[in-house]
Amino acid sequence: MSDVSKAWDGGLVRTWLERRVAAAKLDQAAADRRGYAAQDDYDKAAAEEWVCRALQAADCANEQAGFARRLKDLIGQEDYPATGIYDDMKFERHVRGQLRKLARMTKANEGFEKILRYQ
């Protein structure tokens, strides 16, 4: 096996973010239909959507260093304002978890090719 690291593909990252926003919306709708028992699932999906939208809006996906810098800024943020969620503390915990996951993916430059709904 060769140990050649692949180049950063901003288009692939933007596609991944778009697909994750769409999947998060579907997950929120499904959790909403399930009712009270699925409120945590709703907050998880809302957190994923919030993170992906925040990264899409910044338009920083063109280079790996800029994307990593934006992730670091978001991780250092005190609070994550959102409406329509059930539990603010859980939502913020899920946002931080999503940001850490994306930071690992960005550092390793892998995982963005997985664009199916379920990961």
Side-chain angles (χ1 to χ4, degrees):
M1 299 245 172
S2 64
D3 193 35
V4 178
S5 64
K6 52 189 172 174
W8 182 259
D9 185 358
L12 182 64
V13 173
R14 283 188 295 280
T15 301
W16 186 88
L17 289 170
E18 290 169 9
R19 297 273 176 98
R20 294 313 308 155
V21 166
K25 283 182 177 183
L26 291 172
D27 290 344
Q28 287 176 58
D32 203 27
R33 284 190 301 274
R34 289 196 320 264
Y36 180 79
Q39 286 181 351
D40 189 50
D41 293 338
Y42 183 91
D43 288 346
K44 275 184 192 175
E48 183 174 14
E49 181 184 4
W50 189 95
V51 167
C52 291
R53 284 199 184 279
L55 291 168
Q56 277 181 326
D59 196 29
C60 57
N62 291 332
E63 55 185 35
Q64 188 173 8
F67 196 71
R69 206 171 20 257
R70 177 68 179 146
L71 282 168
K72 190 174 182 178
D73 291 343
L74 287 172
I75 289 171
Q77 197 170 310
E78 283 295 316
D79 62 339
Y80 305 99
T83 58
I85 56 173
Y86 292 101
D87 188 338
D88 290 336
M89 291 180 63
K90 284 185 178 181
F91 173 77
E92 288 186 9
R93 187 173 64 234
H94 293 313
V95 167
R96 290 190 201 301
Q98 285 292 324
L99 289 169
R100 285 190 301 269
K101 171 188 164 188
L102 276 169
R104 285 190 303 269
M105 288 172 60
T106 301
K107 185 176 181 182
N109 191 16
E110 62 185 23
F112 293 109
E113 66 278 354
K114 298 176 184 174
I115 53 176
L116 297 176
R117 178 172 176 206
Y118 297 106
Q119 294 191 0

